[in-house]
Amino acid sequence: MKPPLLRLTLPLLALLLLNACTSSSPVKRDKMVSVRPNIAQQRPAYQSQPTPYKPAFYTGTFPKPAALEPAVDFWRKTYAVWQRSEVAFHDDRYLDVVYEVMTLPGYVGEGLTSEQKDIISQRREYWKAQLAELESKVRYGAALNANDRQLIAKLESNGRSLNSVLPGLSDRLRSQRGTRERFKRGLEISGRYDLQFRKTFRDAGLPEDLAYLPHVESSFQPSAKSSAGAVGMWQFTKAAAKTFMPGGDRVDQRYDPFVSANGAARYLSYAYGKLGDWPAAVTSYNHGIGGMKRAQNQVGSDFVRIVDSYDGPAFGFASRNYYAQFLAAREIASNPEQFFREGVRYESPLAPGQYLAVE
């Protein structure tokens, strides 16, 4: 059953229909019951001991087709297994094909040094040469060594034929740095906002687990900025904010997590109404409503088929993987003890009035 759309006033609905450009998205392209603390009580911003807070989890709303499991597993590893000092070299189409997970030497901070970037670049070139050589050997029937046979076994896993995956093999090489520390910090910060974000989506008649989207967008950083001009925890562009966050002419409300969460609810309600299912609506947060509508018109509404075969403009790695990233983040955030056995110290919940947009 489709969830009811956000209850909008007639003037706001008219504004959405008049101004919303369905080809734009708010962002850049590229089991449990909560113990709910009293958020009105004054508390320190950060507690040294684990709080009784635990995120809620509701099943059955967001489908996870079996064909998406390799991608979901890849992002589970990126978020909760691979540390920021680790870099995975992998196929950008078949995410279960991981050639190597390299550990960078020395101290590795949130940002990489030029030397560390050079190390990654050199290793990427090594693997690119290895894959290009394998393509050539198979094409011309040259003798294969033990390393070649190991690579072929990776490529043929999950029932794939070598002939189907070999073309363009070296061009599909990609590197992905682990984000375990960043994701865990995002979990801690989410304690401030999760209860209110869930209420925002619940009041809008939308699935509460949409409150996990900032894990994908910004790791719950209120001041996050993208190269495409999207800012804030929910990564709104100015154009999308003008449509879905009206009334912010004097102050850039995109930096206010609570105001922009309401904007995200308006956007996702509108997207769901246009696209008809949550995989497409969630992906539109990255690729745009118009882009996802074109994908549906071209290859049909089957989301797995869209991911596998749609080749529209700008529908690249980020858009293909956005829903899988959301599913992985949702799984980890809803059961953090399984992935972070050392524990997660959630920050104390805030009420909307306690947050300043200029924070």
Side-chain angles (χ1 to χ4, degrees):
M1 179 182 297
K2 295 181 179 180
L5 295 181
L6 181 67
R7 299 176 180 86
L8 302 172
T9 63
L10 288 178
L12 178 57
L13 180 59
L15 177 64
L16 293 178
L17 295 177
L18 178 63
N19 293 330
C21 175
T22 59
S23 63
S24 64
S25 65
V27 297
K28 61 185 179 298
R29 293 179 183 273
D30 206 289
K31 102 192 177 163
M32 298 182 192
V33 177
S34 297
V35 178
R36 300 180 182 269
N38 179 6
I39 61 176
Q41 182 180 355
Q42 294 298 315
R43 300 185 180 188
Y46 189 86
Q47 296 185 353
S48 60
Q49 299 298 322
T51 72
Y53 166 78
K54 185 173 288 187
F57 183 47
Y58 301 88
T59 62
T61 306
F62 300 100
K64 186 176 74 172
L68 293 185
E69 174 56 28
V72 175
D73 184 59
F74 177 87
W75 292 109
R76 275 196 297 261
K77 292 172 180 173
T78 299
Y79 290 150
V81 177
W82 298 330
Q83 301 180 46
R84 65 191 180 194
S85 60
E86 296 177 298
V87 181
F89 296 90
H90 66 95
D91 190 291
D92 74 356
R93 274 285 182 178
Y94 308 103
L95 297 189
D96 57 321
V97 179
V98 177
Y99 303 111
E100 176 189 23
V101 179
M102 177 186 71
T103 300
L104 292 168
Y107 172 77
V108 181
E110 182 70 21
L112 294 175
T113 66
S114 58
E115 292 81 3
Q116 290 165 342
K117 291 177 182 178
D118 287 342
I119 292 173
I120 294 173
S121 179
Q122 291 169 15
R123 198 61 181 171
R124 188 185 298 115
E125 290 305 311
Y126 164 82
W127 278 110
K128 193 174 182 67
Q130 291 292 306
L131 297 174
E133 183 180 4
L134 178 63
E135 290 181 74
S136 178
K137 284 182 176 182
V138 173
R139 183 179 301 114
Y140 296 107
L144 303 176
N145 59 34
N147 289 336
D148 296 330
R149 288 189 287 272
Q150 288 179 355
L151 289 175
I152 290 174
K154 286 180 180 289
L155 295 169
E156 290 182 331
S157 62
N158 283 334
R160 292 182 291 261
S161 69
L162 184 60
N163 289 337
S164 68
V165 299
L166 197 64
L169 182 63
S170 60
D171 293 332
R172 297 199 306 270
L173 178 68
R174 183 180 180 275
S175 59
Q176 174 64 49
R177 190 179 172 203
T179 62
R180 189 180 194 275
E181 296 90 343
R182 182 177 176 86
F183 194 94
K184 183 182 177 182
R185 180 61 186 138
L187 284 173
E188 294 172 344
I189 298 171
S190 73
R192 285 187 171 196
Y193 308 105
D194 186 74
L195 296 177
Q196 186 62 35
F197 285 177
R198 287 184 175 280
K199 182 178 185 300
T200 295
F201 289 108
R202 184 171 62 248
D203 289 350
L206 301 175
E208 293 185 19
D209 282 3
L210 291 170
Y212 291 136
L213 266 178
H215 283 298
V216 180
E217 285 298 314
S218 64
S219 297
F220 279 84
Q221 298 293 324
S223 60
K225 298 179 181 180
S226 80
S227 58
V231 302
M233 188 178 294
W234 293 89
Q235 288 288 280
F236 271 85
T237 61
K238 285 186 177 180
K242 185 176 181 180
T243 299
F244 296 101
M245 296 167 58
D249 295 337
R250 290 179 299 173
V251 177
D252 192 345
Q253 297 185 104
R254 295 179 295 167
Y255 288 103
D256 188 313
F258 298 110
V259 174
S260 51
N262 277 284
R266 293 187 183 98
Y267 174 86
L268 288 163
S269 177
Y270 185 71
Y272 183 88
K274 290 291 185 180
L275 298 168
D277 64 61
W278 283 115
V282 169
T283 303
S284 80
Y285 206 85
N286 178 271
H287 189 62
I289 297 172
M292 292 309 299
K293 197 66 181 176
R294 285 191 294 273
Q296 290 179 335
N297 291 339
Q298 181 173 318
V299 304
S301 60
D302 185 308
F303 185 73
V304 170
R305 188 178 177 191
I306 291 174
V307 170
D308 286 344
S309 61
Y310 180 59
D311 60 354
F315 195 74
F317 182 84
S319 296
R320 288 200 311 270
N321 281 275
Y322 193 81
Y323 183 63
Q325 288 182 260
F326 170 70
L327 291 179
R330 175 177 179 254
E331 180 179 336
I332 296 166
S334 65
N335 189 17
E337 297 89 350
Q338 179 180 341
F339 300 92
F340 299 95
R341 297 188 183 278
E342 70 274 22
V344 175
R345 296 181 297 177
Y346 289 97
E347 296 190 3
S348 299
L350 297 177
Q354 293 176 266
Y355 182 83
L356 299 176
V358 295
E359 181 180 310

